[in-house]
């Protein structure tokens, strides 16, 4: 089910919310928790029930695989525990790999060795990348003794809690379960509801009004246009840059707002990333929970910065390559990861020179690098990526300011791009709003306008981009 | 302000606004759902058609409950075939064609129609462009409600949006003073069957002193020149699969199926024959003939050379639908038919068609 759908806003959410808090009044916590887990699985299965067995298998497997780390009869030897952990992670990776990378691997084998392996008609279970990473983190934390979960219902609620199930934020067991266990969270809290409404509808506005509007030109430029002149190519890339941000951060805002209504604080996932002054800064602000996962469960286990500068640079590159391939089964994603890895290495080496760059120039370079790299992230083929980059470089003609026929653009497109810049520069981000929200007439007026405008523009049924990752 | 008051005020304003829009939807009745505002000149202000036909047509069709449907893309939308295709005159027919409509969308629309109505006849006006990889799988992924051939139950809310649009469009029409040939202020007008019939666009160009037809011909030809010569275009398998699925659905439900290939203006047809895409066109024609049989309307002749039959180089006008209707449904072949215009081909005689096309190509290349 999509957050930006009528059935979610007017049916699923009110029913789930009311049911949860009514059942929380009973003395048996398991009833309200079961309600939330079942509602979340219903939410998950709404799109296509065929995905349900995959997530249920994943839940059972990881829960029972974590037991030897936390029970009294736990595996005692260090090497035994490590082998058990690696086995668990391997099964998770194989599950993810089968659905996400199987055809990609066959394609590569066929291309390189001239084989003729038959591709399988595999649908990617929605959200599998997110709940797999979340559970890998759980296994690793259980291995280290940081978490201990002996209740399958609690574990199911941690994984399936619907606001974060499909596309994150990627949460840790240790930051979620104490909140569910807190007796103070059993009651409806008006402060969380008002704040939750505001953040949810702000996210809906970002998705429905901003991201989906930018999507029209970005999609035309990447998927439909045969060639792009300079104006069209820049408009295409900038529209996608804004589309992706408003789409994913909009989704995250909606998730944070929804969780708040249930008295749960999800971690922030974005912090004005397009204001970053260097690439390291960008990754501290963009998809922050993925960066945290990659740092804690990939970069540091690889050795992090503990084995000298050369190994550090290698570990950085490997982490970004893994981050790239996580986003999708394609060499363009790997290349996107490589570009970010390379930029991070260059940034680190630049840091050794001690030369300070002035802030506007640093922002300009960082933003344009990110914008250019998104071209590889978005393009479905090298040809599409090169088409856009050639256009940006002016190799397919410069065009004129008002000439954007290939992407169906008009002067309105420039106004939207300008609006995109104004929003990222001058509008406070949701993290600030969450920390400083005070109900008042101005907030109320803004909420009513964005809620109604978003609802009236929800005729376009569009998925969130990160659902596909 | 307390949080409780904030929530109460928000919810009351929010839901009051919803009720207001629902009432407005009923009163304005933008797509004639309720048939209570059928006064001349009233309720003719419609939202932009490319996006909204994908919503509107489902509701329109629900009101009509057709037993015969037309499928296709904007060529069929422009043809307005309901008045010309005499065979269906005794039936409740509905034109399901969509601007940029694709094979997958048509497949879904057919599934939806079969599920909800007793369909007896399907007529598909299919175009080469719809079969090419250049067109997306769904003409409008953002808008279609028909994935898997079902309509979300709560899609009723979408009508609210159309009311808002209708109000906006009405205001726009009044401000810009656009009128149709009957003198009514209008932007878009659907007739009862969901086809576009007005010439408002042409008249609007004339008002601005611009040669509309030349401009359309030129720009469309230029666009298609690029498409046809793109070395990357193919006929993807999934499009063939979608077409076979349409045939399978018809066969399983005892539906009489008719397909025809739309005519192109002569310059467009000649350009296609000289292009990189021509072998794909042959593959397309052969595929349709062998899979289902198809009525072929193409070539270069007196009709396809007459601009009066075309909106632009690839969109025929309503007058053309009368010719197509007669050719397909008249018991005796009309005098204007020839091997490349108005003949039926299937696996038994498709070679004749291919030979005729080859002959025409040779003639074009030799400059005759």
């Amino acid at each position: 089910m999509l957050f930006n759908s009528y059935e979610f806003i007017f049916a699923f959410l009110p029913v789930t919310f009311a049911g949860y808090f009514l059942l929380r009044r009973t003395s048996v916590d398991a009833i309200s928790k079961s309600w939330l887990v079942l509602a979340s699985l219903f939410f998950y299965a709404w799109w296509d029930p065929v995905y349900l067995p995959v997530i249920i298998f994943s839940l059972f497997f990881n829960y029972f695989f974590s037991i030897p780390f936390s029970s009294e009869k736990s595996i005692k030897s260090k090497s035994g525990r490590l082998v058990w952990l690696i086995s668990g992670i391997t099964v998770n990776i194989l599950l993810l790999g089968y659905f996400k990378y199987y055809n990609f691997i066959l394609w590569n084998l066929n291309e390189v060795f001239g084989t003729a392996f038959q591709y399988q008609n595999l649908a990617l279970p929605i959200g599998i990348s997110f709940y797999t990473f979340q559970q890998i983190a759980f296994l690793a934390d259980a291995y280290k003794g940081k978490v201990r979960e002996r209740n399958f219902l609690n574990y199911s609620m941690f994984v399936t809690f619907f606001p974060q199930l499909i596309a994150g934020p990627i949460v840790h067991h240790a930051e979620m379960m104490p909140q569910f266990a807190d007796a103070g969270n059993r009651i409806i809290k008006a402060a969380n509801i008002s704040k939750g409404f505001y953040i949810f509808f702000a996210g809906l506005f970002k998705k429905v009004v901003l991201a989906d509007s930018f999507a029209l030109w970005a999609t035309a430029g990447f998927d439909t246009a045969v060639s792009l002149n300079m104006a069209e190519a820049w408009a295409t890339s900038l529209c996608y840059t804004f589309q992706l941000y408003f789409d994913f951060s909009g989704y995250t805002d909606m998730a944070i707002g929804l969780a708040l209504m249930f008295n749960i604080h999800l971690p922030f996932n974005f912090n004005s990333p397009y204001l970053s002054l260097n690439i390291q800064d960008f990754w501290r602000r963009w998809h922050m929970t993925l960066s945290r996962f990659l740092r804690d469960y990939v970069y540091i286990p690889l050795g992090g910065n503990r084995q000298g500068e050369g190994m550090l640079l290698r570990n950085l590159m490997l982490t970004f390559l893994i981050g790239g391939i996580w986003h999708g089964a394609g060499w363009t994603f790997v290349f996107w990861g490589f570009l970010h890895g390379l930029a991070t290495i260059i940034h680190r080496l630049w840091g050794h020179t001690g030369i300070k760059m002035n802030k506007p120039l640093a922002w300009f370079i960082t933003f344009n690098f990110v914008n250019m790299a998104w071209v590889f992230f978005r393009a479905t083929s090298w040809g599409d990526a090169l088409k856009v980059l050639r256009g940006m470089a002016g190799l397919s003609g410069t065009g004129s300011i008002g000439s954007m026929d290939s992407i169906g653009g008009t002067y309105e497109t420039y106004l939207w791009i300008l609006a995109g810049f104004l929003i990222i520069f001058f509008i406070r981000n949701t993290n600030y709003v969450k920390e400083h929200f005070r109900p008042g007439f101005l907030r109320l007026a803004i909420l009513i306008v964005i809620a109604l405008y978003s609802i009236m523009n929800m005729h376009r049924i569009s998925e969130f981009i990160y659902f596909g990752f | 302000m307390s949080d409780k008051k904030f929530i109460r005020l928000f919810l009351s304003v929010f839901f009051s606004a919803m009720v207001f829009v629902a009432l407005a939807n009923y009163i304005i009745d933008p797509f004639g759902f309720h048939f209570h505002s059928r006064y001349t000149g009233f309720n003719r202000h419609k939202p932009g058609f490319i996006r909204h036909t994908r919503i509107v047509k489902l509701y329109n069709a629900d009101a009509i409950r057709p037993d015969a449907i037309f499928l296709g893309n904007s060529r069929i939308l422009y043809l307005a075939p309901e008045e010309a295709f005499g065979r269906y005159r005794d039936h409740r027919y509905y034109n399901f064609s969509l601007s940029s409509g694709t094979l997958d969308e048509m497949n879904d629309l057919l599934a939806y129609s079969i599920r909800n109505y007793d369909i007896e006849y399907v007529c598909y006006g299919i175009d080469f462009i719809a079969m090419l990889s250049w067109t997306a799988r769904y003409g409008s992924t953002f808008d279609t409600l028909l994935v898997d051939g079902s309509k979300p139950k709560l899609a009723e809310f979408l009508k609210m949006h159309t009311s808002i649009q209708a109000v906006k469009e009405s205001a726009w029409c009044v401000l810009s003073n656009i009128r149709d040939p009957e003198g009514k202020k209008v932007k878009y007008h659907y007739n009862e069957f969901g086809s576009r019939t007005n010439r408002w666009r042409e008249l609007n160009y004339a008002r601005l002193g611009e040669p509309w037809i030349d401009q359309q011909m030129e720009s469309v030809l230029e666009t298609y020149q690029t498409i046809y010569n793109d070395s990357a275009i193919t006929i993807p398998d999934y499009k063939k699969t979608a077409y076979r699925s349409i045939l399978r659905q018809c066969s399983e439900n005892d539906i009489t199926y008719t397909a025809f290939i739309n005519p192109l203006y002569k310059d467009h047809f000649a350009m296609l024959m000289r292009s990189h895409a021509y072998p794909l066109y042959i593959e397309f024609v052969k595929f349709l003939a062998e899979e289902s049989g198809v009525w072929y309307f193409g070539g270069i002749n007196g009709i396809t050379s007459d601009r009066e039959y075309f909106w632009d180089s690839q969109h025929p006008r309503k007058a053309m639908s009368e010719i197509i209707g007669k050719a397909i449904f008249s018991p005796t072949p009309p005098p204007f038919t020839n091997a490349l215009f108005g003949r039926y081909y299937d696996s038994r005689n498709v070679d004749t068609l291919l030979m005729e096309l080859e002959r025409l190509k040779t003639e074009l290349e030799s400059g005759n």
Side-chain angles (χ1 to χ4, degrees):
Chain A
M1 198 178 289
L2 296 169
F3 291 165
N4 56 330
S5 65
Y6 295 106
E7 55 265 37
F8 177 82
I9 294 171
F10 293 110
F12 178 84
L13 180 60
V15 170
T16 307
F17 176 85
Y20 178 70
F21 282 104
L22 276 175
L23 295 170
R24 285 285 262 180
R25 291 181 179 185
T26 64
S27 56
V28 186
D29 266 1
I31 298 176
S32 59
K33 286 177 182 173
S34 302
W35 167 261
L36 201 51
V37 170
L38 289 174
S40 296
L41 290 175
F42 175 81
F43 166 85
Y44 184 79
W46 178 266
W47 191 255
D48 194 342
V50 80
Y51 300 138
L52 204 52
V54 181
I55 191 173
I56 289 174
F57 165 79
S58 179
L59 271 177
F60 274 101
F61 173 82
N62 284 293
Y63 173 71
F64 288 107
F65 222 81
S66 71
I67 289 175
F69 292 134
S70 53
S71 69
E72 287 72 20
K73 293 178 181 176
S74 61
I75 304 168
K76 297 287 185 242
S77 79
K78 198 176 174 186
S79 59
R81 288 170 67 86
L82 187 61
V83 169
W84 191 248
L85 172 69
I86 290 171
S87 308
I89 291 175
T90 305
V91 172
N92 276 291
I93 300 285
L94 284 176
L95 186 71
L96 180 63
Y98 175 69
F99 284 105
K100 194 163 180 173
Y101 304 110
Y102 184 82
N103 283 337
F104 177 61
I105 292 166
L106 290 191
W107 179 84
N108 280 292
L109 290 174
N110 287 344
E111 286 290 311
V112 174
F113 299 109
T115 48
F117 292 116
Q118 289 294 307
Y119 301 117
Q120 291 212 9
N121 189 18
L122 292 170
L124 182 69
I126 200 161
I128 189 170
S129 305
F130 287 91
Y131 65 70
T132 302
F133 266 30
Q134 191 162 319
Q135 292 182 103
I136 287 175
F138 172 76
L139 282 183
D141 288 349
Y143 163 78
K144 290 176 191 166
K146 287 183 182 174
V147 294
R148 183 183 172 88
E149 182 57 76
R150 299 295 306 281
N151 182 318
F152 182 67
L153 192 56
N154 282 345
Y155 181 75
S156 301
M157 199 162 65
F158 153 63
V159 177
T160 64
F161 183 47
F162 73 89
Q164 51 84 47
L165 172 60
I166 308 282
I170 300 170
V171 292
H172 286 298
H173 184 272
E175 65 194 351
M176 292 292 284
M177 296 323 291
Q179 297 190 64
F180 281 115
D182 187 346
N185 287 338
R186 297 171 75 92
I187 53 166
I188 294 174
K189 291 183 178 171
N192 284 345
I193 302 292
S194 55
K195 202 185 290 185
F197 272 147
Y198 194 89
I199 295 173
F200 175 81
F201 281 109
L204 185 67
F205 185 84
K206 278 184 182 176
K207 164 64 183 166
V208 172
V209 179
L210 300 179
D212 286 355
S213 298
F214 283 116
L216 296 174
W217 300 299
T219 305
F222 276 102
D223 297 342
T224 312
V226 177
S227 71
L228 298 166
N229 64 39
M230 203 168 176
E232 291 166 342
W234 276 97
T236 298
S237 69
L238 287 170
C239 283
Y240 183 68
T241 293
F242 287 125
Q243 181 203 349
L244 183 64
Y245 172 60
F246 290 125
D247 187 286
F248 193 23
S249 73
Y251 175 88
T252 305
D253 291 349
M254 290 161 85
I256 289 172
L258 289 166
L260 258 184
M261 295 177 203
F262 290 81
N263 298 326
I264 300 296
H265 292 263
L266 292 180
F268 293 133
N269 221 9
F270 291 90
N271 187 17
S272 303
Y274 290 157
L275 296 183
S276 306
L277 298 180
N278 60 58
I279 199 66
Q280 192 178 26
D281 189 23
F282 175 79
W283 280 104
R284 284 183 184 138
R285 293 160 172 258
W286 176 273
H287 203 173
M288 293 148 73
T289 56
L290 176 69
S291 301
R292 180 177 69 172
F293 177 91
L294 291 173
R295 182 197 64 203
D296 293 346
Y297 302 102
V298 179
Y299 174 71
I300 291 174
L302 281 171
N305 60 0
R306 302 188 300 274
Q307 297 159 324
E309 187 72 6
M311 290 300 278
L312 179 149
L313 299 181
R314 184 207 69 163
N315 295 339
L316 276 176
M317 180 56 85
L318 282 174
T319 305
F320 276 102
L321 289 176
I322 290 169
I325 195 75
W326 176 84
H327 280 89
W331 287 108
T332 47
F333 283 111
V334 178
F335 189 65
W336 170 79
F338 169 78
L339 286 176
H340 274 272
L342 190 64
T344 308
I345 289 170
I346 291 170
H347 166 70
R348 185 166 178 87
L349 297 176
W350 175 272
H352 293 327
T353 66
I355 304 170
K356 295 278 182 200
M357 194 179 286
N358 78 47
K359 283 184 178 176
L361 181 61
W363 173 83
F364 183 79
I365 291 172
T366 308
F367 181 83
N368 278 289
F369 166 77
V370 169
N371 180 50
M372 186 271 292
W374 285 141
V375 171
F376 290 97
F377 187 87
R378 168 61 177 82
T380 50
S381 67
W382 293 106
D384 281 350
L386 292 176
K387 171 184 77 180
V388 178
L389 290 174
R390 257 200 308 267
M392 289 169 78
L395 299 176
S396 304
T398 50
S400 61
I401 291 295
S403 162
M404 290 200 285
D405 292 342
S406 295
I407 61 168
T410 60
Y411 282 103
E412 192 192 343
T413 318
Y414 292 111
L415 290 178
W416 274 91
I417 292 171
L418 178 64
F421 278 114
L422 293 177
I423 290 168
I424 62 163
F425 275 119
F426 298 110
I427 305 282
R428 297 273 196 195
N429 67 29
T430 318
N431 309 356
Y432 179 88
V433 172
K434 187 173 177 234
E435 299 298 332
H436 298 87
F437 181 85
R438 296 280 179 278
F441 283 107
L442 180 61
R443 288 272 182 224
L444 180 65
I446 293 171
L447 174 60
I448 288 169
V449 169
I450 62 173
L452 287 174
Y453 194 76
S454 304
I455 292 284
M456 294 305 166
N457 278 281
M458 270 170 47
H459 59 290
R460 295 183 291 196
I461 309 295
S462 65
E463 284 182 44
F464 292 89
I465 293 174
Y466 262 68
F467 279 20
F469 297 147
Chain B
M1 186 190 289
S2 72
D3 285 298
K4 282 184 180 168
K5 188 177 177 186
F6 183 88
I7 295 164
R8 269 201 303 271
L9 278 172
F10 168 66
L11 290 179
S12 48
V13 173
F14 183 75
F15 284 106
S16 301
M18 289 287 162
V19 171
F20 173 78
V21 173
L23 284 174
N25 178 70
Y26 185 79
I27 294 164
I28 295 168
D29 192 16
F31 300 107
F33 299 132
H34 314 299
F35 300 106
H36 59 48
S37 52
R38 306 185 76 184
Y39 306 103
T40 308
F42 184 78
N43 189 27
R44 302 189 79 185
H45 306 300
K46 310 294 183 188
F49 80 109
I50 288 180
R51 179 170 294 166
H52 292 90
T53 40
R54 282 167 170 77
I55 297 165
V56 172
K57 291 212 167 194
L58 298 178
Y59 294 106
N60 279 167
D62 282 349
I64 292 169
R65 302 196 58 76
D67 55 16
I69 59 170
F70 293 92
L71 301 176
N73 50 24
S74 56
R75 285 93 186 138
I76 304 302
L77 193 72
Y78 283 56
L79 272 172
E82 66 272 7
E83 290 166 29
F85 285 50
R87 177 168 170 176
Y88 298 133
R89 213 163 270 162
D90 297 331
H91 291 269
R92 295 185 309 277
Y93 42 79
Y94 189 73
N95 185 354
F96 257 129
S97 52
L98 297 169
S99 188
S100 306
T102 66
L103 282 150
D104 280 278
E105 275 185 319
M106 293 304 119
N107 188 28
D108 288 341
L109 275 166
L110 178 59
Y112 177 82
S113 303
I114 290 171
R115 190 178 299 175
N116 292 286
Y117 322 123
D118 296 322
I119 301 294
E120 293 176 32
Y121 295 97
V122 169
C123 185
Y124 193 169
I126 188 165
D127 290 282
F128 178 47
I129 189 71
M131 199 60 119
L132 291 179
S133 53
W134 185 82
T135 52
R137 187 157 196 154
Y138 281 90
S140 176
T141 314
F142 295 113
D143 306 326
T144 188
L145 288 168
L146 287 167
V147 176
D148 298 329
S150 61
K151 185 172 65 178
K153 289 182 184 62
L154 289 168
E156 289 292 315
F157 281 99
L158 293 166
K159 291 182 188 174
M160 292 186 179
H161 172 76
T162 61
S163 287
I164 297 286
Q165 288 292 97
V167 172
K168 276 162 57 181
E169 297 296 343
S170 300
W172 190 86
C173 287
V174 170
L175 290 172
S176 55
N177 199 28
I178 286 179
R179 290 166 185 273
D180 71 6
E182 295 169 36
K184 307 288 188 302
K185 289 180 181 179
V186 66
K187 186 183 179 188
Y188 280 108
H189 169 231
Y190 303 97
N191 64 16
E192 208 169 341
F193 304 97
S195 297
R196 204 173 103 180
T197 55
N198 275 319
R199 298 172 63 210
W200 69 269
R201 201 171 167 195
E202 188 174 358
L203 291 168
N204 210 24
Y205 270 98
R207 196 166 58 84
L208 297 169
E210 292 175 17
W212 180 82
I213 193 77
D214 288 348
Q215 195 175 55
Q216 287 297 299
M217 284 284 180
E218 207 174 294
S219 74
V220 173
L221 278 171
E222 194 181 323
T223 304
Y224 277 76
Q225 175 97 28
T226 315
I227 296 166
Y228 290 152
N229 288 299
D230 178 358
S231 60
I233 58 168
T234 58
I235 294 182
D237 283 344
Y238 73 81
K239 299 220 174 196
K240 290 182 177 176
T241 306
Y243 188 74
R244 289 191 181 109
S245 172
I246 288 171
L247 298 180
R248 183 182 46 73
Q249 291 194 69
C250 288
S251 159
E252 287 173 357
N253 293 281
D254 292 329
I255 293 168
T256 306
Y257 178 78
T258 308
F260 67 91
I261 294 174
N262 279 305
L264 298 167
Y265 183 61
K266 69 172 171 59
D267 292 351
H268 194 117
F269 196 81
M271 178 183 74
L272 170 60
M273 285 200 127
R274 293 189 183 106
S275 72
H276 164 79
Y278 185 64
L280 295 176
Y281 183 74
I282 295 296
E283 183 186 339
F284 159 73
V285 170
K286 200 161 177 276
F287 172 76
L288 291 186
E290 288 176 348
E291 291 289 328
S292 61
V294 64
W295 286 86
Y296 186 78
F297 296 90
I300 296 172
N301 56 48
I303 296 170
T304 59
S305 304
D306 188 343
R307 282 185 169 199
E308 285 303 307
Y309 288 113
F310 292 90
W311 289 101
D312 57 43
S313 72
Q314 42 132 16
H315 285 108
R317 286 171 191 259
K318 194 171 153 185
M320 182 70 88
S321 70
E322 287 162 12
I323 291 174
I324 293 174
K326 278 179 191 161
I328 297 179
F329 297 120
S330 169
T332 51
F336 52 75
T337 64
N338 64 47
L340 290 180
F341 193 90
R343 291 270 174 87
Y344 180 75
Y345 292 99
D346 57 22
S347 54
R348 291 166 299 185
N349 62 351
V350 68
D351 290 340
T352 313
L353 172 61
L354 300 182
M355 273 169 48
E356 283 297 322
L357 285 169
E358 191 54 38
R359 187 185 57 73
L360 179 59
K361 188 169 189 296
T362 312
E363 270 180 30
L364 278 174
E365 282 166 355
S366 62
N368 294 327

